[in-house]
C-alpha cells in the first residue's frame, strides 16, 4: 500500500521572514538608493537650515532656536518618509517581474505577504532614520539611553505607518510613474504639514487644523520633544498613542487591500 504523504505546512513565520530579509538585501544591494536616501535630506538640512539660520528665531517655544536645530527632526522624518515609501515601490516591480504572482500562488495567507513587505520597509526606514542621529552631537544634543529608546520607538512607529501607507498606495498600481505622481501629490504635502519646516504655533488657522489632523505631525513633534525638551508642543505619550493608532489603521488597510478579490492580473 502506498504511503500517503501529508502536505507540508510552511506556517507564517518563515515566509514573512523571507520576504522581510529579501527587502533588506534588495535595498542594500542598490547602493545608489542608500546614498540618495541619506544624502538628499542631509543636503536639505544643511542648506535650508543654514539658509534660514538665526532669522527663524523669535517668540517662545517651538521655533525659538537656530533653524538647523529646528529642522533636524524634520530632516529625520524626511529620511524615514523617503525610505518607507520608495521601498514599497518594490511591490510594483515584483508584479512586473512575476515574483508577486509566485508569492500569491504559494500556500501562504496574503496577510503574511503584507507582514513581510511592511516589516522589511519598516526595518530599513528605522535604520536609515537612526543613522541620521550621528549628526546630533554637531548640534550639542546629548542622547541618553532611555531617550534613545523612545526615539527609536518613535522612528519605528513612523516607519511602520508610512510603509503600510506606501503598501496601500502601491498594491493596486502597475506603474512606477503613477506611484511617483501620487507621492508628489499626496505625501510631500503630508510632510510639509508635519511641522518639519515651520512650527504649528504661529501658522494660519486652517493650516494649524490640517497640521493637527496630520498623524505625521505627532511623529515630528515627538522627536522634537525628545531631542529639544524645551520645544514641547504635545506630550510624548500623546504623540505615541496617535502613532500607534495610525499604524494599526494603516496595517489593517494594507490587509484589506491585499485580500480584496480582483480580476486584475498579478503579473
Amino acid at each position: 500500500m502506498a504511503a500517503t504523504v501529508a502536505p507540508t505546512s510552511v506556517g507564517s513565520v518563515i515566509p514573512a521572514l523571507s520576504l522581510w530579509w529579501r527587502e533588506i538585501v534588495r535595498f542594500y544591494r542598490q547602493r545608489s538608493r542608500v546614498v540618495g536616501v541619506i544624502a538628499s535630506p542631509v543636503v536639505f538640512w544643511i542648506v535650508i537650515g543654514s539658509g534660514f539660520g538665526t532669522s527663524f528665531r523669535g517668540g517662545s517655544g517651538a521655533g525659538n532656536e537656530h533653524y538647523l536645530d529646528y529642522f533636524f527632526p524634520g530632516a529625520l522624518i524626511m529620511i524615514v518618509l523617503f525610505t518607507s515609501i520608495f521601498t514599497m515601490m518594490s511591490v510594483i516591480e515584483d508584479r512586473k517581474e512575476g515574483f508577486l504572482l509566485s508569492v500569491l500562488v504559494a500556500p501562504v495567507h496574503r496577510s503574511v505577504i503584507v507582514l513581510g513587505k511592511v516589516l522589511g520597509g519598516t526595518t530599513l526606514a528605522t535604520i536609515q532614520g537612526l543613522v541620521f542621529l550621528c549628526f546630533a552631537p554637531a548640534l550639542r544634543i546629548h542622547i541618553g539611553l532611555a531617550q534613545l529608546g523612545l526615539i527609536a520607538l518613535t522612528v519605528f512607529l513612523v516607519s511602520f505607518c508610512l510603509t503600510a501607507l506606501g503598501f496601500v498606495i502601491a498594491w493596486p498600481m502597475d506603474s512606477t510613474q503613477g506611484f511617483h505622481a501620487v507621492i508628489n501629490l499626496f505625501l510631500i504635502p503630508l510632510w510639509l504639514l508635519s511641522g518639519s519646516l515651520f512650527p504649528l504655533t504661529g501658522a494660519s488657522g486652517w493650516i494649524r487644523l490640517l497640521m493637527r489632523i496630520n498623524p505625521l505631525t505627532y511623529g515630528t513633534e515627538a522627536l522634537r520633544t525628545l531631542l529639544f525638551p524645551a520645544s514641547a508642543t504635545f506630550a510624548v505619550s500623546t504623540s505615541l498613542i496617535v502613532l500607534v493608532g495610525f499604524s494599526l489603521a494603516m496595517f489593517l488597510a494594507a490587509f484589506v487591500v491585499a485580500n480584496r478579490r480582483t480580476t486584475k492580473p498579478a503579473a
Side-chain angles (χ1 to χ4, degrees):
M1 186 173 64
T4 303
V5 179
T8 303
S9 174
V10 295
S12 301
V13 176
I14 293 177
L17 285 177
S18 301
L19 289 171
W20 167 79
W21 182 244
R22 181 176 182 271
E23 290 296 320
I24 293 174
V25 171
R26 185 178 190 178
F27 182 82
Y28 285 111
R29 280 183 178 174
Q30 299 174 331
R31 297 187 186 279
S32 58
R33 288 179 64 187
V34 179
V35 173
V37 163
I38 289 287
S40 299
V42 170
V43 171
F44 270 101
W45 173 56
I46 294 174
V47 173
I48 295 178
S50 302
F52 278 97
T54 56
S55 62
F56 194 71
R57 290 180 177 175
S60 59
N64 190 23
E65 62 250 318
H66 194 283
Y67 199 70
L68 272 174
D69 295 351
Y70 180 81
F71 192 41
F72 188 74
L76 197 156
I77 289 291
M78 182 192 285
I79 291 174
V80 172
L81 175 72
F82 282 174
T83 309
S84 301
I85 296 302
F86 286 115
T87 299
M88 285 302 94
M89 201 161 58
S90 66
V91 173
I92 301 171
E93 294 169 350
D94 286 346
R95 180 180 288 113
K96 286 184 175 179
E97 295 167 0
F99 177 79
L100 187 60
L101 178 61
S102 305
V103 175
L104 289 175
V105 298
V108 294
H109 196 270
R110 290 193 178 187
S111 59
V112 175
I113 302 172
V114 178
L115 187 64
K117 299 287 285 185
V118 172
L119 281 182
T122 300
T123 304
L124 289 169
T126 303
I127 293 172
Q128 300 288 96
L130 293 179
V131 165
F132 187 64
L133 288 177
C134 67
F135 292 99
L139 301 176
R140 288 175 288 185
I141 300 173
H142 304 289
I143 303 175
L145 199 58
Q147 195 181 3
L148 180 62
L150 285 173
I151 291 173
L153 176 62
T154 304
V155 173
F156 176 83
L157 289 173
V158 173
S159 304
F160 190 89
C161 63
L162 288 176
T163 306
L165 176 61
F167 185 95
V168 172
I169 295 171
W171 184 265
M173 303 192 78
D174 53 11
S175 162
T176 53
Q177 290 84 355
F179 186 71
H180 279 285
V182 172
I183 289 173
N184 292 332
L185 179 67
F186 177 63
L187 294 177
I188 298 302
L190 195 71
W191 175 75
L192 292 175
L193 293 173
S194 69
S196 296
L197 283 177
F198 49 85
L200 192 148
T201 54
S204 301
W206 66 279
I207 289 288
R208 273 206 306 275
L209 176 62
L210 291 176
M211 292 173 75
R212 283 186 179 278
I213 62 177
N214 180 3
L216 212 53
T217 300
Y218 296 88
T220 308
E221 291 304 325
L223 290 175
R224 180 165 291 117
T225 302
L226 290 167
L227 294 169
F228 307 100
S231 303
T233 302
F234 303 110
V236 174
S237 56
T238 302
S239 298
L240 291 179
I241 290 171
V242 172
L243 289 175
V244 168
F246 186 58
S247 297
L248 291 175
M250 286 298 98
F251 199 48
L252 180 62
F255 273 133
V256 171
V257 169
N259 284 285
R260 191 172 53 190
R261 292 187 178 278
T262 175
T263 55
K264 189 175 181 177

